[in-house]
């Protein structure tokens, strides 16, 4: 039975569910205490998104203020000002409350419709890791093609241009975009797990949350504007990262993928001096063969 307080519910549940882990009892206590699954999921989803987004952006704001990190800045001559950071944060907050909050509110009914589980116990770590890896591939595919389409004249001018206000991106700018773009590109993040669930009937909302957390980390880090010796793409060559996406903002074209490099490589849409050099070499080789 629900108690007057959250911790009262937690203690009551702990008496009769000793086989559950501490995290699972906390999860169950939340839904029991709220007595409204839609409200419980809505609040948890929105708070999680805001805490992760701004919490992950904060270290990059601090790094931008410290000269010792300037040598790792990709576009060293372009450091965001405090006003730019505030302006960006305000627009992102406005977008979160007006565009993303209504979507999050209908998230639980949608989950239930497609058979997504919200109960305990949680799925195994291995199952969640596999599904999240699949979501990264699915989202990256969606992102490549929709992002590339956004650079078509009318769509760029009327929708995508606002995201390119900063030719040298920074962490907070990851979701600095028009409402239409937030919905279209965000569909890859939310729609990939839902499509998986619709096909397999096997997905827990916790997996969805972990996926969104990792996707936010990826998006914010890709917009950070910093390239470190320990950046992930040095260990996983197919990972995109900040170096890949920073070139996209600087050149305004190419490098359309979000997480991986293979779509840009496959369709010859890589940006940067090295990619241009490879194209010139291929053209010269082709011209010599034609002679």
């Amino acid at each position: 039975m629900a108690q007057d307080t959250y911790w009262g519910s937690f203690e009551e549940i702990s008496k009769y569910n000793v086989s559950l882990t501490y995290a699972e009892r906390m999860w169950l206590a939340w839904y029991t205490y709220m007595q409204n699954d839609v409200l419980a999921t809505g609040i948890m989803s929105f708070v999680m998104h805001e805490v992760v987004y701004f919490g992950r952006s904060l270290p990059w704001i601090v790094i931008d203020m410290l000269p010792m990190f300037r040598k790792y800045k990709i576009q060293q001559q372009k450091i965001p000002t405090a006003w730019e950071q505030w302006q960006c944060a305000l627009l992102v907050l406005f977008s979160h409350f007006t565009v993303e909050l209504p979507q999050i509110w209908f998230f639980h009914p949608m989950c239930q419709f497609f058979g997504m589980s919200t109960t305990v116990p949680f799925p195994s770590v291995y199952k969640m890791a596999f599904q999240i890896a699949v979501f990264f591939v699915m989202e990256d595919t969606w992102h490549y093609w929709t992002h590339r389409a956004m650079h078509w004249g009318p769509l760029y001018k009327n929708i995508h241009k606002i995201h390119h206000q900063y030719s040298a991106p920074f962490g907070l700018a990851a979701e600095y975009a028009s409402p239409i773009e937030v919905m279209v590109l965000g569909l890859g993040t939310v729609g990939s797990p839902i499509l998986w669930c619709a096909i397999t009937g096997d997905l827990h909302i916790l997996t969805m949350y972990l996926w969104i957390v990792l996707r936010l980390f990826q998006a914010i880090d890709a917009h950070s504007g910093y390239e470190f010796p320990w950046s992930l793409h040095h260990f996983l060559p197919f990972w995109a990262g900040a170096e890949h996406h920073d070139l996209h903002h600087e050149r305004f074209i190419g490098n359309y993928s979000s997480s991986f490099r293979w779509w840009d490589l496959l369709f010859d849409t890589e940006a940067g001096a090295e990619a241009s050099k490879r194209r010139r070499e291929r053209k010269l080789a082709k011209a010599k063969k034609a002679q």
Side-chain angles (χ1 to χ4, degrees):
M1 293 181 61
Q3 302 294 309
D4 293 336
T5 66
Y6 167 77
W7 289 111
S9 296
F10 177 79
E11 290 175 5
E12 190 71 17
I13 284 168
S14 296
K15 291 178 184 177
Y16 306 104
N17 296 274
V18 293
S19 63
L20 297 178
T21 66
Y22 191 83
E24 289 169 340
R25 281 179 275 156
M26 289 184 69
W27 179 282
L28 184 57
W30 170 250
Y31 279 94
T32 303
Y33 169 67
M34 291 300 295
Q35 289 290 290
N36 184 319
D37 289 356
V38 174
L39 187 61
T41 301
I43 292 173
M44 185 160 54
S45 300
F46 187 71
V47 170
M48 179 206 71
H49 182 274
E50 298 309 288
V51 169
V52 173
Y53 188 85
F54 290 101
R56 183 54 186 162
S57 297
L58 184 60
W60 295 115
I61 295 173
V62 174
I63 287 172
D64 276 328
M65 298 167 62
L66 299 175
M68 62 183 290
F69 289 105
R70 202 60 45 82
K71 62 183 178 180
Y72 300 114
K73 179 73 173 171
I74 298 170
Q75 298 185 56
Q76 295 184 4
Q77 75 282 10
K78 297 179 181 178
I79 306 297
T81 64
W83 167 245
E84 286 177 324
Q85 300 268 16
W86 273 111
Q87 183 188 40
C88 179
L90 289 173
L91 187 139
V92 167
L93 269 173
F94 179 78
S95 175
H96 286 178
F97 277 94
T98 58
V99 180
E100 296 189 21
L101 182 57
Q103 293 174 328
I104 287 173
W105 204 254
F106 292 103
F107 181 65
H108 188 94
M110 191 162 50
C111 290
Q112 287 185 320
F113 178 80
F114 287 103
M116 193 179 298
S117 174
T118 60
T119 59
V120 292
F122 296 148
S124 71
V125 172
Y126 301 104
K127 176 184 280 191
M128 290 192 290
F130 171 74
Q131 291 177 344
I132 289 171
V134 172
F135 301 157
F136 264 110
V137 175
M138 292 173 69
E139 189 283 331
D140 185 69
T141 303
W142 172 264
H143 192 100
Y144 175 83
W145 290 107
T146 52
H147 186 193
R148 187 173 176 179
M150 289 281 184
H151 278 262
W152 175 60
L155 292 181
Y156 180 85
K157 181 180 178 181
N158 296 297
I159 299 174
H160 190 52
K161 187 176 181 180
I162 185 172
H163 184 67
H164 278 273
Q165 178 175 327
Y166 305 108
S167 58
F170 48 93
L172 271 174
E175 292 186 355
Y176 184 87
S178 73
I180 296 174
E181 180 173 346
V182 171
M183 287 188 289
V184 172
L185 294 183
L187 186 59
T189 301
V190 179
S192 296
I194 291 175
L195 179 61
W196 170 271
C197 185
I199 295 172
T200 67
D202 181 20
L203 184 66
H204 195 283
I205 196 171
L206 178 62
T207 309
M208 180 77 168
Y209 284 159
L210 292 175
W211 150 242
I212 290 174
V213 167
L214 292 174
R215 174 72 179 101
L216 284 172
F217 267 61
Q218 179 276 322
I220 293 165
D221 290 359
H223 286 82
S224 68
Y226 285 86
E227 165 70 7
F228 297 106
W230 54 86
S231 293
L232 186 57
H233 77 91
H234 293 301
F235 307 97
L236 295 176
F238 53 83
W239 186 254
E243 178 265 342
H244 181 267
H245 195 66
D246 204 275
L247 272 172
H248 173 77
H249 276 263
E250 184 181 13
R251 305 294 178 89
F252 293 93
I253 194 169
N255 287 6
Y256 300 113
S257 294
S258 57
S259 299
F260 307 112
R261 296 175 182 249
W262 48 59
W263 286 115
D264 285 298
L265 181 64
L266 183 62
F267 289 97
D268 197 24
T269 53
E270 292 178 292
E274 292 184 8
S276 298
K277 182 181 177 182
R278 287 194 295 269
R279 291 190 191 97
R280 287 195 301 269
E281 290 173 348
R282 285 197 298 269
K283 285 181 179 179
L284 286 171
K286 189 176 181 180
K288 285 181 180 179
K289 283 185 179 180
Q291 289 176 355

